[in-house]
Amino acid sequence: MSGAESEYTASVVGGSGFTGGELLRLLYQHPEFDVVQATSRSKERKTVGHVHPNLREMDLRFTSPEDLESVDVLFAATPHGVSMERIDEFEAAADTVVDLSADFRLDTEAQYDEWYDGHVRPEYLEKAEYALPEINRENLSGASLIASGGCNATATILGLKPMFDAGILEGDEQVVVDVKVGSSEGGAGGGDASSHPERSGIVRPYAPIGHRHEAEIEQFLGLSVSFTVHAVDMVRGASATCHVFPNSPVSKGDLWKAYRGSYADEPFVRTVAGGGGVYRYPEPKSVAGTNMAEVGFELDPSNRRVVVFSAIDNMMKGSAGQAVHAANVALGVEETAGLEFAGLHPVGSP
Amino acid sequence: MSGAESEYTASVVGGSGFTGGELLRLLYQHPEFDVVQATSRSKERKTVGHVHPNLREMDLRFTSPEDLESVDVLFAATPHGVSMERIDEFEAAADTVVDLSADFRLDTEAQYDEWYDGHVRPEYLEKAEYALPEINRENLSGASLIASGGCNATATILGLKPMFDAGILEGDEQVVVDVKVGSSEGGAGGGDASSHPERSGIVRPYAPIGHRHEAEIEQFLGLSVSFTVHAVDMVRGASATCHVFPNSPVSKGDLWKAYRGSYADEPFVRTVAGGGGVYRYPEPKSVAGTNMAEVGFELDPSNRRVVVFSAIDNMMKGSAGQAVHAANVALGVEETAGLEFAGLHPVGSP
Amino acid sequence: MSGAESEYTASVVGGSGFTGGELLRLLYQHPEFDVVQATSRSKERKTVGHVHPNLREMDLRFTSPEDLESVDVLFAATPHGVSMERIDEFEAAADTVVDLSADFRLDTEAQYDEWYDGHVRPEYLEKAEYALPEINRENLSGASLIASGGCNATATILGLKPMFDAGILEGDEQVVVDVKVGSSEGGAGGGDASSHPERSGIVRPYAPIGHRHEAEIEQFLGLSVSFTVHAVDMVRGASATCHVFPNSPVSKGDLWKAYRGSYADEPFVRTVAGGGGVYRYPEPKSVAGTNMAEVGFELDPSNRRVVVFSAIDNMMKGSAGQAVHAANVALGVEETAGLEFAGLHPVGSP
Amino acid sequence: MSGAESEYTASVVGGSGFTGGELLRLLYQHPEFDVVQATSRSKERKTVGHVHPNLREMDLRFTSPEDLESVDVLFAATPHGVSMERIDEFEAAADTVVDLSADFRLDTEAQYDEWYDGHVRPEYLEKAEYALPEINRENLSGASLIASGGCNATATILGLKPMFDAGILEGDEQVVVDVKVGSSEGGAGGGDASSHPERSGIVRPYAPIGHRHEAEIEQFLGLSVSFTVHAVDMVRGASATCHVFPNSPVSKGDLWKAYRGSYADEPFVRTVAGGGGVYRYPEPKSVAGTNMAEVGFELDPSNRRVVVFSAIDNMMKGSAGQAVHAANVALGVEETAGLEFAGLHPVGSP
């Protein structure tokens, strides 16, 4: 944690938002990174701990986002659209840029235009590497521009990937993905809908159709999904339930083999499928505050449906944790460095 | 509310459970019913208000379930299996019996055996009328044995029925139903999994496959669904999201016509589909404490999917409210009597 | 509920806020009032149900606050300071004005200036009657200007009043009042602090010192209290714990006698003090959605402390319910009319 | 984390409870301890991860509590009364015993008998060292029997101690302590009152008077407090609000000096008193999952009251974290080892 021992300097652009705060926490306690700058226009000159009360011991004040210090790694936790505008500045300031927005997640301008508005620097789309090591580890090593994935896309991709790896899914199947997310996904701003009285205790259709994370799923799995996102009463967490109808019959043994095959050696994915006790399937609570993803499944004999469950902390594996993990891989640091926190039990609505 | 003006006497067998408490509340404030007995083995001789703090003004003590008084209507809110054992006693005590368990919901012994254990009085399966007026109003009038539906089945049936009424669905389609329920569905008992520390903030696959309410859906809609239930952090409420793939293309206009056609005259179903503001689709919060169901839909142009949302208070429209509604119909009382409460805004996790 | 049968016309100025919504709900289901106007500058021309989803069946649209219709009773649910500016308009529009802000709660300009900013129409301070019938019933009858009390003041006054009535307290004692409130107290606006991620799961010192409701407590009890308010994770509810140190020893029998003496005939206060079961003392949950106040006490033999608990729904007994109750008394309507809802069990964070 | 590098072996007796789980988490990720045994009668032979889902990667199964392995440090997380029965076994198994129950917190048999039932091994009361380093660091070094403090006592003692250190309080003052706690304080068992439907959204007088933690406060501060505990809707956390009436006037400067004087060098206490932003005072959320205590204050000029706020995670600083901290001190390990986790922002009801 002490800067004296750290190998790399790091900065966070957009440090007063929720994902910015998580980045700062992870970097503050990371053995190989030393945070030298955190920017925030609205909180300039305030301490990091003024905004993020868990970081009161951190001796750092937000600076203007205009003057970027030279660092080894720059993490951008700004709203969609900012990074593509400032990419030249970011690259001038750092050898490695990790962007947490949607600006560089997709591969082509055509894809981007289909799901977002016009891209001002489309030439960077191909250059950027997607941050999820489980599907892109080999390309992350030495990467200079990394795009951290969308939280709901991350949960879905991790849940379904083993079925593609094992040939159980081929891409033309009917797949319904029903996602439940916490309020931190809305970011630190939020309007009426995210005020506590209106947001508490809800099961609210948040994106009934047309959620942009579908684009990432299609890009990486080659699968067009029926995707619906609900907001529920938790702060952290994203849970994707994928209702999958394989073309050929599949057994539980096939599924176990597929998931073990894909994830046995992954430090941040574990398979939880049945067994006894209270926690039989993936749950966001079980991984809250950690970089772990839980994936699992159940087989519905009545109609050959496979129900796949995937749970992550949207702020961690779905955002800041994934970004730090990718930076570790990019710089050749121990993959799990700074990401070892095991999570809590019991924990409420983390 | 005063017994002096009430037309009918009523009793609640199993009054100390959650649905028993809701029945007592509804009957206590019902203009046409006068509660003369509430039974509870575990709380015998305690006041109703000792268990249900909202009913401290109610001047009634629980009695043994053995000695049933003669009443016009007996509501049984006992665990599954009790009513079939005691049906002779219930019928001897009351002209109209409304059972809130699963004992008489299905039509045939074969159906029952498929989803539950052996029925000891299968001859009553055909006799009993399903309590949901929206699909069975004509048969409820004058019925002597009424079976209140399952909460998740009720939400699903109400959500999908208009598409069958309008011929948009025919019964052979792929339909995925992803349900989110509150903790009151587990009843007053509950084990480790329903303790506050373990149950707070969860998105927990509660019945990934094989939920028994599928049987009711199949019975009334002629549709075999892919059904998965999640427990989320609320106390009251059931929300069913139905991902429907009609055989033929459908427009938003077709959907509006279908839902208006089925529900324009229903006092306890309203259609909420889009529009502005915070509450654009059905939400359990919006109907908490009421007998209202909200249904709505969205059309996914990308793959001809219709996403149907249905939200109820599982304790009300999904149980005690439905039971009182059915009793109103059965006895020829004003349908909405005792069920007028409009609900609250804002409300947390009702 | 039908306007045809109602005796009085009513309007709500400021109908899109939380207390405005509660007023509309109560008046909509009130047998003697017929709502003819609800105003809202920000939601002009929207339906009431657009903002308050529980009121979708109500056939009314918000109008501009400029043009007030003539009614029998006008309820003002506007921010502090508005009513004193518009009091002439309000009085021109209605025979009876019930104001839910703090503008007319205090008796003198000196008091007002001590706790708030300068009053523009101080001559109305003496004229206005405080809305709490339990301490001011005789003056409410026929009153033309009524000031609904502050929620935390209401809870505290109702909790302590019996000890003054019985002479157990005299006004010079040390009394610490530690209040816990829900998020609806902050109103529909709210800033960062009331966003769901920041507001969930908190025990937050919200007003450590200097809360303005102290002024009302001092006015009505003649008691200067040590007052601290905490925000906790619920939407509705205010719970006041009063730590009282009487000058002379007191017994449990004395306390029971005092509380029964003050409240035996009150329709909206009940005493809950010990006994068995889960709900042994006052709790906001037990009265959520209702106009009931629960008060209770425990005696600490170790230091002659009396611990008094008082729980209300801040939106109801602490605001809109109290206002309607007072209007009932003012107009000679049945006191409990429109306020009979018994509340729910179980209920989450109502 | 790897056993190979650890200096000491450790065991947890009673590892399937909530505090047992926290101990296992802390020890699993502790650089100097290697967990070689976790016992649980009810979960014998189950993996640790079966009960504590955050610890699925931990390769350990619960064993019978009968056969204790020899270790350097044994942590006992058993219900009150067990450790005094088994103290000989514990001492035979380990050089250092850290007990998390109330069995050895008090100094004398007389004190114990006043607050608990008869002690079977009173000779150990004097021998045991209280685990809170902030008040007992010098005696913990090399201690062989350590008693981890009660969570509510810990919060209160840490909040008030600086005022005693600085001579602002002397022990004869009136002090009201109003505590708010989460549901994890009730432990993994729990009855009806702790089921999710009954426990959600509450402000419940949990121990209106006579809470046993008063004994520890009196023992360490020489102060008899008026103590009341409320249960509120969070899982982790204890917040103590102390209403203090010093004999002599005090200024904010005096208070800052006192708190800085006591805690400037403490790694696990920070002072939070005013300032701007959302988090101006101590909050349990800000320290959830960490071993940090937040203390702060506000001065009420109207009546010379000092309001002191103190917030901890009851499972950490109030139990397992305090125990590990004390063990670190006892064995001469770096004080903060294994306790560095900074906590999360935002976080719901942790």
Side-chain angles (χ1 to χ4, degrees):
Chain A
M1 259 168 289
S2 157
E5 308 159 1
S6 300
E7 212 168 335
Y8 299 103
T9 55
S11 64
V12 175
V13 179
S16 61
F18 288 164
T19 49
E22 277 295 77
L23 283 168
L24 288 168
R25 169 178 76 87
L26 292 173
L27 297 171
Y28 172 56
Q29 300 205 313
H30 196 292
E32 305 295 347
F33 291 122
D34 186 21
V35 186
V36 297
Q37 183 177 30
T39 79
S40 167
R41 198 177 309 276
S42 64
K43 305 292 178 186
E44 195 181 334
R45 280 188 288 274
K46 299 282 186 189
T47 62
V48 163
H50 176 89
V51 176
H52 307 298
N54 55 326
L55 299 179
R56 290 188 201 273
E57 278 69 42
M58 197 173 176
D59 185 23
L60 192 72
R61 287 177 184 275
F62 291 114
T63 65
S64 158
E66 312 306 337
D67 305 304
L68 299 181
E69 296 191 30
S70 284
V71 290
D72 294 310
V73 194
L74 179 152
F75 293 87
T78 45
H80 298 322
V82 172
S83 288
M84 65 173 90
E85 296 278 0
R86 301 191 62 193
I87 185 65
D88 291 337
E89 289 174 77
F90 293 173
E91 296 214 321
D95 295 331
T96 306
V97 173
V98 185
D99 182 49
L100 284 77
S101 81
D103 285 10
F104 305 110
R105 289 178 192 160
L106 300 181
D107 283 346
T108 69
E109 192 172 2
Q111 281 174 288
Y112 191 88
D113 286 347
E114 186 187 342
W115 292 94
Y116 300 85
D117 299 325
H119 204 291
V120 301
R121 298 297 292 278
E123 68 273 25
Y124 278 89
L125 288 170
E126 198 188 339
K127 179 186 175 190
E129 291 296 339
Y130 199 68
L132 203 58
E134 289 82 0
I135 62 170
N136 198 34
R137 184 174 277 109
E138 63 276 18
N139 294 318
L140 286 169
S141 180
S144 63
L145 176 58
I146 296 170
S148 196
C151 50
N152 301 325
T154 296
T156 305
I157 290 168
L158 290 175
L160 295 178
K161 179 180 178 289
M163 299 181 79
F164 282 92
D165 288 351
I168 296 171
L169 285 181
E170 297 168 314
D172 60 341
E173 292 85 357
Q174 184 74 265
V175 176
V176 170
V177 183
D178 193 295
V179 179
K180 296 88 184 167
V181 301
S183 59
S184 62
E185 195 157 306
D192 280 0
S194 69
S195 75
H196 185 268
E198 306 286 20
R199 181 67 175 69
S200 291
I202 60 171
V203 178
R204 177 173 295 165
Y206 163 71
I209 58 167
H211 193 285
R212 289 162 161 182
H213 290 184
E214 287 180 43
E216 291 165 59
I217 298 165
E218 188 160 358
Q219 172 169 286
F220 291 104
L221 297 182
L223 178 77
S224 178
V225 294
S226 292
F227 202 76
T228 297
V229 183
H230 302 80
V232 298
D233 197 348
M234 59 184 176
V235 170
R236 284 166 181 254
S239 169
T241 299
C242 307
H243 306 266
V244 180
F245 301 88
N247 293 323
S248 304
V250 62
S251 72
K252 271 213 167 176
D254 296 336
L255 292 168
W256 271 112
K257 197 171 160 193
Y259 282 79
R260 283 197 179 117
S262 296
Y263 295 138
D265 298 328
E266 285 295 343
F268 292 121
V269 186
R270 65 183 173 218
T271 304
V272 181
V278 171
Y279 298 88
R280 304 180 187 197
Y281 298 99
E283 293 196 28
K285 287 220 313 184
S286 301
V287 296
T290 82
N291 197 48
M292 186 67 69
E294 286 193 345
V295 297
F297 48 80
E298 196 52 81
L299 188 59
D300 188 345
S302 66
N303 55 4
R304 301 207 317 203
R305 176 179 55 135
V306 182
V307 193
V308 174
F309 301 103
S310 177
I312 60 172
D313 181 331
N314 61 307
M315 307 280 291
M316 287 292 298
K317 185 69 177 176
S319 181
Q322 180 181 151
V324 170
H325 187 187
N328 286 349
V329 176
L331 276 68
V333 168
E334 175 85 27
E335 269 204 33
T336 58
L339 299 167
E340 297 93 342
F341 178 58
L344 301 167
H345 176 248
V347 67
S349 165
Chain B
M1 261 167 286
S2 157
E5 307 159 1
S6 298
E7 211 169 335
Y8 300 102
T9 53
S11 63
V12 175
V13 179
S16 61
F18 288 164
T19 49
E22 276 297 75
L23 283 168
L24 288 168
R25 170 179 75 87
L26 293 173
L27 297 171
Y28 172 57
Q29 300 204 314
H30 196 292
E32 305 295 346
F33 291 122
D34 187 21
V35 185
V36 297
Q37 183 178 30
T39 79
S40 168
R41 199 178 307 277
S42 64
K43 304 292 180 186
E44 197 181 333
R45 280 189 287 274
K46 299 282 186 190
T47 62
V48 163
H50 176 89
V51 176
H52 307 299
N54 56 326
L55 300 180
R56 290 188 201 272
E57 278 68 42
M58 197 174 177
D59 184 23
L60 192 72
R61 286 178 185 275
F62 292 115
T63 65
S64 157
E66 312 306 338
D67 304 304
L68 299 181
E69 296 190 29
S70 284
V71 290
D72 294 310
V73 194
L74 179 153
F75 294 87
T78 44
H80 297 323
V82 172
S83 287
M84 65 171 90
E85 295 278 359
R86 301 192 62 193
I87 186 64
D88 291 336
E89 289 173 76
F90 291 174
E91 295 214 322
D95 295 333
T96 307
V97 173
V98 185
D99 182 49
L100 283 78
S101 82
D103 285 10
F104 304 110
R105 289 177 192 162
L106 301 181
D107 283 346
T108 69
E109 192 171 3
Q111 282 174 286
Y112 192 87
D113 285 347
E114 186 187 341
W115 292 94
Y116 299 86
D117 299 325
H119 204 291
V120 301
R121 297 296 292 277
E123 68 273 25
Y124 279 89
L125 288 170
E126 198 188 340
K127 179 185 175 190
E129 292 296 339
Y130 200 67
L132 203 58
E134 289 82 1
I135 62 170
N136 199 33
R137 184 174 277 109
E138 62 277 17
N139 295 318
L140 285 169
S141 180
S144 63
L145 176 59
I146 296 170
S148 198
C151 50
N152 300 326
T154 295
T156 305
I157 291 169
L158 290 174
L160 296 178
K161 179 180 178 289
M163 300 181 78
F164 282 92
D165 288 351
I168 296 170
L169 286 182
E170 297 167 315
D172 61 341
E173 291 86 357
Q174 184 75 265
V175 176
V176 169
V177 183
D178 193 295
V179 179
K180 297 87 182 166
V181 300
S183 59
S184 63
E185 195 157 307
D192 279 1
S194 68
S195 75
H196 185 269
E198 305 286 22
R199 181 67 176 70
S200 291
I202 60 170
V203 178
R204 177 174 296 166
Y206 163 71
I209 58 167
H211 194 283
R212 289 164 162 181
H213 290 184
E214 288 180 42
E216 292 166 57
I217 298 165
E218 188 161 357
Q219 172 169 285
F220 291 105
L221 296 182
L223 178 77
S224 178
V225 294
S226 292
F227 202 76
T228 296
V229 184
H230 301 80
V232 298
D233 197 348
M234 59 184 175
V235 171
R236 285 167 180 254
S239 168
T241 299
C242 308
H243 306 267
V244 179
F245 301 87
N247 293 324
S248 304
V250 63
S251 72
K252 270 214 168 177
D254 296 336
L255 292 169
W256 271 112
K257 197 172 160 193
Y259 281 80
R260 283 197 180 120
S262 296
Y263 295 138
D265 298 328
E266 284 295 343
F268 293 121
V269 186
R270 65 184 173 218
T271 303
V272 181
V278 172
Y279 297 88
R280 305 180 186 197
Y281 298 99
E283 292 196 29
K285 286 220 315 185
S286 301
V287 295
T290 82
N291 197 47
M292 187 66 70
E294 285 192 346
V295 297
F297 48 81
E298 196 52 81
L299 188 59
D300 188 345
S302 66
N303 54 6
R304 302 207 315 206
R305 176 179 55 135
V306 182
V307 193
V308 175
F309 301 103
S310 177
I312 60 172
D313 181 331
N314 61 307
M315 307 281 291
M316 286 293 296
K317 186 68 177 175
S319 180
Q322 179 181 152
V324 170
H325 187 186
N328 286 348
V329 175
L331 277 67
V333 169
E334 175 84 27
E335 269 204 31
T336 58
L339 299 168
E340 297 94 342
F341 178 59
L344 303 167
H345 176 248
V347 67
S349 165
Chain C
M1 258 168 290
S2 157
E5 307 158 1
S6 299
E7 210 168 338
Y8 299 103
T9 54
S11 63
V12 175
V13 180
S16 61
F18 289 164
T19 49
E22 276 296 77
L23 283 169
L24 287 169
R25 170 178 74 88
L26 293 173
L27 297 171
Y28 172 56
Q29 300 205 312
H30 197 291
E32 306 293 347
F33 291 122
D34 186 21
V35 186
V36 298
Q37 184 177 29
T39 79
S40 168
R41 198 177 308 277
S42 64
K43 306 291 179 186
E44 197 181 332
R45 281 190 286 275
K46 299 281 187 191
T47 62
V48 164
H50 176 88
V51 176
H52 307 299
N54 55 326
L55 300 179
R56 290 189 201 270
E57 278 70 41
M58 197 173 176
D59 185 22
L60 193 71
R61 286 177 185 275
F62 292 114
T63 65
S64 157
E66 311 306 337
D67 304 303
L68 300 180
E69 295 190 30
S70 284
V71 290
D72 295 310
V73 195
L74 179 153
F75 293 87
T78 44
H80 298 322
V82 172
S83 287
M84 65 172 91
E85 296 279 359
R86 301 191 63 192
I87 185 64
D88 292 336
E89 290 174 77
F90 292 173
E91 296 214 322
D95 296 332
T96 306
V97 173
V98 185
D99 182 49
L100 283 78
S101 82
D103 285 10
F104 304 111
R105 289 177 192 161
L106 299 181
D107 284 346
T108 69
E109 192 172 3
Q111 282 174 287
Y112 191 88
D113 287 347
E114 186 187 342
W115 292 93
Y116 299 85
D117 299 325
H119 204 290
V120 301
R121 297 297 293 277
E123 68 271 26
Y124 279 89
L125 287 169
E126 198 188 340
K127 180 186 174 189
E129 292 296 340
Y130 199 68
L132 203 59
E134 289 81 2
I135 64 171
N136 199 34
R137 183 174 278 110
E138 63 278 15
N139 294 319
L140 285 170
S141 179
S144 63
L145 177 57
I146 296 169
S148 197
C151 51
N152 300 325
T154 295
T156 306
I157 290 169
L158 289 175
L160 295 178
K161 180 181 178 287
M163 301 182 78
F164 282 91
D165 288 350
I168 296 170
L169 286 181
E170 295 167 315
D172 61 341
E173 291 86 356
Q174 184 75 264
V175 176
V176 170
V177 183
D178 194 295
V179 179
K180 296 89 184 167
V181 301
S183 59
S184 63
E185 196 156 306
D192 279 0
S194 68
S195 75
H196 185 269
E198 306 285 21
R199 181 68 175 69
S200 292
I202 61 172
V203 178
R204 178 174 295 165
Y206 162 72
I209 59 167
H211 194 283
R212 289 162 161 181
H213 290 184
E214 288 181 43
E216 292 166 58
I217 299 165
E218 188 160 359
Q219 174 170 283
F220 290 104
L221 297 182
L223 178 77
S224 178
V225 294
S226 292
F227 202 76
T228 296
V229 183
H230 301 80
V232 298
D233 196 349
M234 59 184 174
V235 171
R236 286 166 180 255
S239 168
T241 299
C242 307
H243 306 267
V244 180
F245 301 87
N247 293 324
S248 303
V250 62
S251 71
K252 272 214 166 175
D254 296 337
L255 293 169
W256 272 112
K257 198 172 159 191
Y259 282 80
R260 284 196 179 119
S262 296
Y263 295 137
D265 298 329
E266 285 295 344
F268 292 121
V269 187
R270 65 183 174 219
T271 304
V272 181
V278 171
Y279 297 88
R280 305 181 185 197
Y281 298 99
E283 292 196 30
K285 287 222 313 184
S286 302
V287 296
T290 83
N291 197 47
M292 187 66 70
E294 285 193 345
V295 297
F297 48 81
E298 196 51 81
L299 188 59
D300 187 346
S302 65
N303 54 5
R304 301 206 317 203
R305 175 179 55 135
V306 182
V307 192
V308 175
F309 301 102
S310 177
I312 60 172
D313 181 331
N314 62 307
M315 307 281 291
M316 285 292 299
K317 186 68 177 176
S319 182
Q322 180 181 151
V324 170
H325 187 187
N328 286 349
V329 176
L331 276 67
V333 169
E334 176 84 26
E335 269 204 33
T336 57
L339 299 167
E340 297 94 342
F341 178 58
L344 301 168
H345 176 247
V347 66
S349 165
Chain D
M1 257 169 290
S2 158
E5 308 158 0
S6 298
E7 208 168 338
Y8 299 102
T9 55
S11 63
V12 175
V13 179
S16 61
F18 289 164
T19 48
E22 276 296 77
L23 283 168
L24 288 169
R25 169 178 75 88
L26 293 172
L27 297 171
Y28 172 56
Q29 300 205 311
H30 196 294
E32 304 295 347
F33 291 122
D34 186 21
V35 186
V36 298
Q37 183 177 31
T39 79
S40 168
R41 198 177 307 276
S42 64
K43 306 291 178 188
E44 196 181 334
R45 281 189 288 272
K46 300 279 187 193
T47 62
V48 164
H50 177 89
V51 176
H52 307 299
N54 56 326
L55 300 179
R56 290 188 201 271
E57 278 69 43
M58 197 174 177
D59 184 23
L60 193 71
R61 287 178 183 274
F62 291 114
T63 64
S64 158
E66 311 307 337
D67 304 305
L68 301 180
E69 296 191 29
S70 283
V71 291
D72 294 310
V73 193
L74 179 154
F75 294 87
T78 44
H80 297 323
V82 172
S83 287
M84 65 172 89
E85 296 278 359
R86 301 192 62 192
I87 185 64
D88 292 337
E89 290 173 76
F90 292 172
E91 296 214 320
D95 294 332
T96 307
V97 173
V98 185
D99 181 49
L100 282 79
S101 82
D103 285 10
F104 304 111
R105 290 177 191 160
L106 300 181
D107 283 347
T108 70
E109 192 171 3
Q111 281 173 286
Y112 192 88
D113 286 347
E114 187 187 341
W115 292 94
Y116 299 85
D117 300 324
H119 204 292
V120 301
R121 298 297 293 277
E123 69 272 25
Y124 278 89
L125 288 169
E126 198 188 339
K127 179 186 175 190
E129 291 297 339
Y130 200 68
L132 204 58
E134 289 82 1
I135 64 171
N136 199 34
R137 183 173 278 109
E138 63 278 15
N139 294 318
L140 284 170
S141 180
S144 63
L145 177 58
I146 297 170
S148 197
C151 51
N152 300 326
T154 295
T156 306
I157 290 168
L158 290 175
L160 295 177
K161 180 181 178 287
M163 301 182 78
F164 282 91
D165 288 350
I168 296 170
L169 285 181
E170 296 168 313
D172 61 340
E173 292 85 357
Q174 184 74 266
V175 176
V176 169
V177 183
D178 194 294
V179 180
K180 296 89 183 165
V181 300
S183 60
S184 63
E185 196 156 305
D192 279 0
S194 69
S195 75
H196 185 268
E198 305 286 20
R199 181 68 176 70
S200 290
I202 61 171
V203 179
R204 179 173 295 164
Y206 162 71
I209 59 167
H211 194 284
R212 289 162 161 182
H213 291 183
E214 288 181 42
E216 291 166 58
I217 299 165
E218 188 160 359
Q219 173 170 285
F220 290 104
L221 297 182
L223 178 77
S224 178
V225 294
S226 293
F227 202 76
T228 296
V229 183
H230 302 78
V232 298
D233 196 349
M234 60 184 174
V235 170
R236 285 166 180 254
S239 168
T241 299
C242 307
H243 306 267
V244 179
F245 301 87
N247 294 324
S248 303
V250 63
S251 71
K252 271 213 169 178
D254 296 336
L255 292 169
W256 272 112
K257 198 173 159 192
Y259 281 79
R260 283 195 179 120
S262 296
Y263 295 136
D265 298 328
E266 285 295 344
F268 292 121
V269 186
R270 64 184 174 218
T271 303
V272 181
V278 172
Y279 297 88
R280 305 180 186 198
Y281 298 98
E283 293 197 29
K285 286 222 312 185
S286 302
V287 296
T290 82
N291 196 47
M292 187 67 70
E294 285 193 346
V295 297
F297 47 81
E298 196 51 81
L299 187 59
D300 187 347
S302 66
N303 55 6
R304 301 205 319 203
R305 175 179 56 135
V306 182
V307 193
V308 175
F309 301 102
S310 178
I312 60 172
D313 181 331
N314 61 307
M315 306 281 291
M316 286 292 298
K317 187 68 177 176
S319 181
Q322 180 181 151
V324 170
H325 187 187
N328 286 349
V329 176
L331 275 67
V333 169
E334 176 84 26
E335 269 204 33
T336 57
L339 300 167
E340 297 94 342
F341 178 58
L344 302 167
H345 176 249
V347 68
S349 165

